[in-house]
């Protein structure tokens, strides 16, 4: 029994320290079972709290996921260290169970030594006394890194709102640029999101807890925004390949590379090299309706929908499956073209603001201002 306690204590302590190092120290996004089980459990519990009350309730409850994970990780690590040191002290000293765990807690939280058997316990006491403050200090140092990455991400997501609406949608990005004659600003948008995609691929793969941090507004999401920008780039390349800026190809590459890096870090499978003619879940009818909406805003396509569809599908197959799965796991706002969710939902189209220009400056065949983009999809 004593040796079994010692082995169990050593194993628990190794698991705790390994999880701390993987999560807070090693800059490579190593998988930690403790962190992901906590994430899965808390997410399920918050889903139950918002059961069958729509996306607004889901978003409100899931806002607590990130802070609960941060507090929960610290609590699990400290309790695990307490259990590990307590079992080791019981196995390596004449102390009984109660005294061994009191000694471990006293040392771990630097409260002073609780027992008098100093010679045999000093090494474990000192190790426990170091472990507690180091874990807490690493967690404190972890927070500024998380919030710096979060602020960089949300700045671009907020800037996207005026270009893509809320929630963001790829065709709406193109439509708004042609409606107000700002299509020459698209290369700058693609460059900004190419850099942001690379940043998110590195930061969110290294610190996966960032996936649980939600945007300040319910209908904003970094995932939905990234998919929208990639959809806009893919649409432009498919419909107008000669006039599409080269930045469109670059943001697509950076975007699906970032999504795949994140997918690898949280260990879900995907096809790393899909064929251009592989099927996608987005239907041709949805694509055709979006092209029709674009043409009504003044966008002039070089290809018709039937000709452009294989090219658009060839781009989208690189990121659709990974993007849909991440949107599902992160409970992102159910925007158009972002797949199903784990809660009952209907895709939410962005609402376009009223056009305040004089009537003679508006596109002749433009839809009414109060029509929601995407309504053709039913």
């Amino acid at each position: 029994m004593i040796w079994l306690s010692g082995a169990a204590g050593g194993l628990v302590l190794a698991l705790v320290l390994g999880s701390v190092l993987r999560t807070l120290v090693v800059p490579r996004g190593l998988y930690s079972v403790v962190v992901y089980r906590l994430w899965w459990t808390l997410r399920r519990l918050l889903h139950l709290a918002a059961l069958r009350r729509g996306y607004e309730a889901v978003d409100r409850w899931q806002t607590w996921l990130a802070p609960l994970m941060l507090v929960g990780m610290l609590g699990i690590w400290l309790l695990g260290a307490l259990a590990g040191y307590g079992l080791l002290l019981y196995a390596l000293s004449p102390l009984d169970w109660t005294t061994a765990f009191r000694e471990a807690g006293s040392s771990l939280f630097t409260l002073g030594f609780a027992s008098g058997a100093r010679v045999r316990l000093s090494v474990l006491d000192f190790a426990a006394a170091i472990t507690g403050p180091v874990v807490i200090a690493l967690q404190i140092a972890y927070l500024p890194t998380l919030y710096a990455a979060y602020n960089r991400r949300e700045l671009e997501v907020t800037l996207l709102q005026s270009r893509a609406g809320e929630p963001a949608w790829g065709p709406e990005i193109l439509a708004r640029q042609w409606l107000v004659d700002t299509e020459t600003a698209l290369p700058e948008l693609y460059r900004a999101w190419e850099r942001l995609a690379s940043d998110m691929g590195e930061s969110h793969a290294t610190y996966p807890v960032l996936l649980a941090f939600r945007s300040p507004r319910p209908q904003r999401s970094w995932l939905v925004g990234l998919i929208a920008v990639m959809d806009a780039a893919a649409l432009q390349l498919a419909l107008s390949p000669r006039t599409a800026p080269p930045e469109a190809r670059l943001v697509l590459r950076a975007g699906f590379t970032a999504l795949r890096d994140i997918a690898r870090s949280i260990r879900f499978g995907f096809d790393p090299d899909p064929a251009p003619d592989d099927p996608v879940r987005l239907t041709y009818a949805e694509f055709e309706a979006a092209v029709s909406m674009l043409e009504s805003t003044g966008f002039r396509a070089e290809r018709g929908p039937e000709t452009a569809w294989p090219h658009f599908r060839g781009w989208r197959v690189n990121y659709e499956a990974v993007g849909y799965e991440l949107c599902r796991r992160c409970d992102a706002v159910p925007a158009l073209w972002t797949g199903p969710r784990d809660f009952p939902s209907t895709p939410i189209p962005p609402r376009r603001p009223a056009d305040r220009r004089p009537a003679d400056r508006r596109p002749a065949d433009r839809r009414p201002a109060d029509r929601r983009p995407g309504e053709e999809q039913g």
Side-chain angles (χ1 to χ4, degrees):
M1 184 65 179
I2 292 177
W3 287 107
L4 184 60
S5 299
L11 178 60
V12 169
L13 200 56
L15 290 173
V16 168
L17 296 179
S19 179
V20 171
L21 292 174
R22 285 170 175 267
T23 306
L24 304 181
V25 180
V26 180
R28 198 167 181 174
L30 299 178
Y31 187 84
S32 172
V33 175
V34 173
V35 173
Y36 285 100
R37 288 300 178 188
L38 176 65
W39 183 2
W40 185 89
T41 302
L42 290 174
R43 179 171 171 260
R44 291 295 179 186
L45 290 174
L46 293 172
H47 264 279
L48 291 175
L51 187 63
R52 301 189 182 279
R53 282 190 281 174
Y55 171 69
E56 295 290 337
V58 170
D59 176 77
R60 187 164 54 251
W61 282 100
Q62 291 296 324
T63 300
W64 291 98
L65 179 58
L68 287 175
M69 281 189 64
L70 293 174
V71 174
M73 286 190 302
L74 181 60
I76 288 174
W77 290 331
L78 292 176
L79 288 176
L82 174 63
Y85 282 116
L87 290 169
L88 284 173
L89 286 170
Y90 174 75
L92 300 176
S93 73
L95 301 177
D96 58 26
W97 285 103
T98 303
T99 307
F101 277 90
R102 187 180 64 180
E103 174 80 12
S106 176
S107 299
L108 185 65
F109 298 107
T110 63
L111 300 175
F113 295 122
S115 76
R118 295 273 60 79
V119 177
R120 298 189 60 182
L121 302 183
S122 59
V123 174
L124 284 177
D125 284 331
F126 288 140
I130 292 171
T131 301
V134 166
V135 170
I136 295 171
L138 287 174
Q139 180 82 330
I140 292 172
Y142 182 57
L143 294 179
T145 302
L146 293 181
Y147 282 100
Y150 174 80
N151 289 335
R152 290 195 303 271
R153 184 187 85 185
E154 293 305 316
L155 174 61
E156 293 297 335
V157 173
T158 302
L159 288 172
L160 185 65
Q161 184 272 335
S162 62
R163 298 174 184 252
E166 288 185 354
W169 183 41
E172 183 71 4
I173 294 177
L174 298 182
R176 292 197 182 197
Q177 308 318 302
W178 262 264
L179 276 170
V180 295
D181 302 321
T182 57
E183 62 270 18
T184 55
L186 282 170
E188 181 184 354
L189 174 70
Y190 294 150
R191 282 194 295 269
W193 276 82
E194 177 194 2
R195 180 173 293 276
L196 179 63
S198 300
D199 186 343
M200 291 191 298
E202 185 275 329
S203 59
H204 290 53
T206 303
Y207 306 112
V209 70
L210 281 167
L211 298 174
F213 279 78
R214 304 183 72 82
S215 294
R217 290 174 61 98
Q219 294 195 349
R220 290 180 191 166
S221 165
W222 66 274
L223 263 174
V224 170
L226 180 57
I227 292 173
V229 171
M230 289 194 289
D231 280 339
L235 272 169
Q236 197 171 6
L237 286 167
L239 293 168
S240 301
R242 286 183 294 178
T243 57
E247 289 85 355
R249 291 178 178 270
L250 297 176
V251 74
L252 278 164
R253 180 71 186 181
F256 69 71
T257 299
L259 292 178
R260 291 176 181 182
D261 287 343
I262 296 170
R264 290 188 187 96
S265 73
I266 60 177
R267 291 191 178 182
F268 73 77
F270 61 90
D271 185 354
D273 188 23
D277 57 352
D278 281 353
V280 294
R281 297 176 69 174
L282 185 74
T283 65
Y284 174 73
E286 291 174 302
F287 173 77
E288 187 179 30
V291 173
S292 177
M293 182 274 291
L294 276 176
E295 291 174 345
S296 74
T297 64
F299 182 90
R300 294 294 175 257
E302 299 165 12
R303 293 172 173 156
E306 290 187 11
T307 307
W309 169 246
H311 298 273
F312 177 76
R313 185 182 63 190
W315 283 111
R316 201 169 207 265
V317 75
N318 289 291
Y319 60 86
E320 186 191 75
V322 179
Y324 279 18
E325 180 64 14
L326 285 173
C327 283
R328 184 189 70 81
R329 293 192 181 202
C330 294
D331 299 304
V333 54
L336 295 169
W337 294 17
T338 60
R341 301 292 186 270
D342 285 342
F343 51 88
S345 64
T346 301
I348 304 171
R351 182 176 292 277
R352 189 177 299 160
D355 193 340
R356 302 300 184 187
R357 293 179 296 174
D360 59 350
R361 294 190 59 194
R362 302 180 190 179
D365 56 345
R366 183 182 177 275
R367 70 181 64 213
D370 60 352
R371 177 80 61 83
R372 288 190 176 192
E375 285 184 344
E376 299 89 343
Q377 301 172 54

